[in-house]
Amino acid sequence: VQERRKLFLHFQEIYSWIEAYAKPTVAAINGVAIGGGLELALVCDFRVASEVAVFSMPELKHRIIPGLGATQRLPKFIGVGRAKEMLLLGKMIRAGRALEWGLVHRVVPRTEVLDHAVGLARELGEKPASAVKVLKSCFLQEGGIRTLHDEAEAFAELVEERIAWEFSREGSRE
């Protein structure tokens, strides 16, 4: 039991590392995202699915529960009621429903899913890295006064960085 617990805690650490990665991550789902595969998609910032993709959390049918964060992450995307449908009933949903529920961001033809995901990743890669990193960290916080304070602090620091950047650009034009 201890070894298994250590293994799953290690997997949770890896998933949390992906979720907190400074750069945006994009999952391309072109088939079945069930159990741990869906949990992996949940730690990505964006999820692009093909029209044939299906999603399910069937662990309860196997007398277990998800072990890599679905109980915490899934409700944030689709709400508690829908998460209970997926987790308690093992409900499988298709791509269109996943889009309606907010589980995925885009549904595209099967042959185009990777191109769309790569295009989205390129678009995200053009955003200012320091601001993206701070923005992503704000999403990971639990909320409340402290989080709002941290957001204001980060905003002020980025404004200072932006002013310095503008000043250095103007100085280089002269």
Side-chain angles (χ1 to χ4, degrees):
V1 171
Q2 285 293 34
E3 287 301 312
R4 190 170 290 121
R5 182 176 292 125
K6 267 177 71 174
L7 177 65
F8 279 101
L9 287 172
H10 179 68
F11 279 125
Q12 280 187 350
E13 287 174 12
I14 292 169
Y15 278 34
S16 294
W17 180 84
I18 294 167
E19 184 176 42
Y21 190 65
K23 297 178 182 180
T25 54
V26 180
I29 305 152
N30 198 8
V32 178
I34 292 179
L38 177 51
E39 288 178 293
L40 179 57
L42 290 173
V43 301
C44 293
D45 297 300
F46 293 91
R47 287 162 299 287
V48 178
S50 74
E51 77 270 349
V52 299
V54 293
F55 305 85
S56 180
M57 296 300 301
E59 285 84 351
L60 205 57
K61 292 177 184 175
H62 303 288
R63 305 178 71 82
I64 60 173
I65 65 168
L68 300 173
T71 63
Q72 303 305 300
R73 292 182 180 106
L74 191 59
K76 291 178 182 176
F77 294 111
I78 66 174
V80 173
R82 290 174 173 162
K84 285 181 179 180
E85 270 190 74
M86 292 188 74
L87 294 166
L88 291 170
L89 298 174
K91 182 175 176 116
M92 181 178 286
I93 63 170
R94 298 193 180 284
R97 176 72 39 92
L99 182 63
E100 289 172 20
W101 285 8
L103 184 57
V104 299
H105 299 88
R106 296 180 184 167
V107 174
V108 300
R110 180 176 50 86
T111 57
E112 299 174 18
V113 70
L114 190 55
D115 289 339
H116 277 268
V118 169
L120 180 57
R122 282 193 178 114
E123 182 180 344
L124 291 163
E126 294 172 0
K127 305 297 180 200
S130 58
V132 167
K133 179 181 179 180
V134 171
L135 185 59
K136 281 193 62 168
S137 72
C138 288
F139 281 112
L140 293 175
Q141 309 223 0
E142 289 301 314
I145 299 298
R146 182 70 201 152
T147 302
L148 290 173
H149 175 78
D150 290 347
E151 185 177 288
E153 288 286 328
F155 175 75
E157 288 176 24
L158 289 167
V159 167
E160 289 299 317
E161 184 180 302
R162 171 66 188 213
I163 290 169
W165 178 77
E166 285 288 338
F167 184 74
S168 70
R169 249 182 63 180
E170 285 187 23
S172 67
R173 286 189 216 157
E174 295 173 3

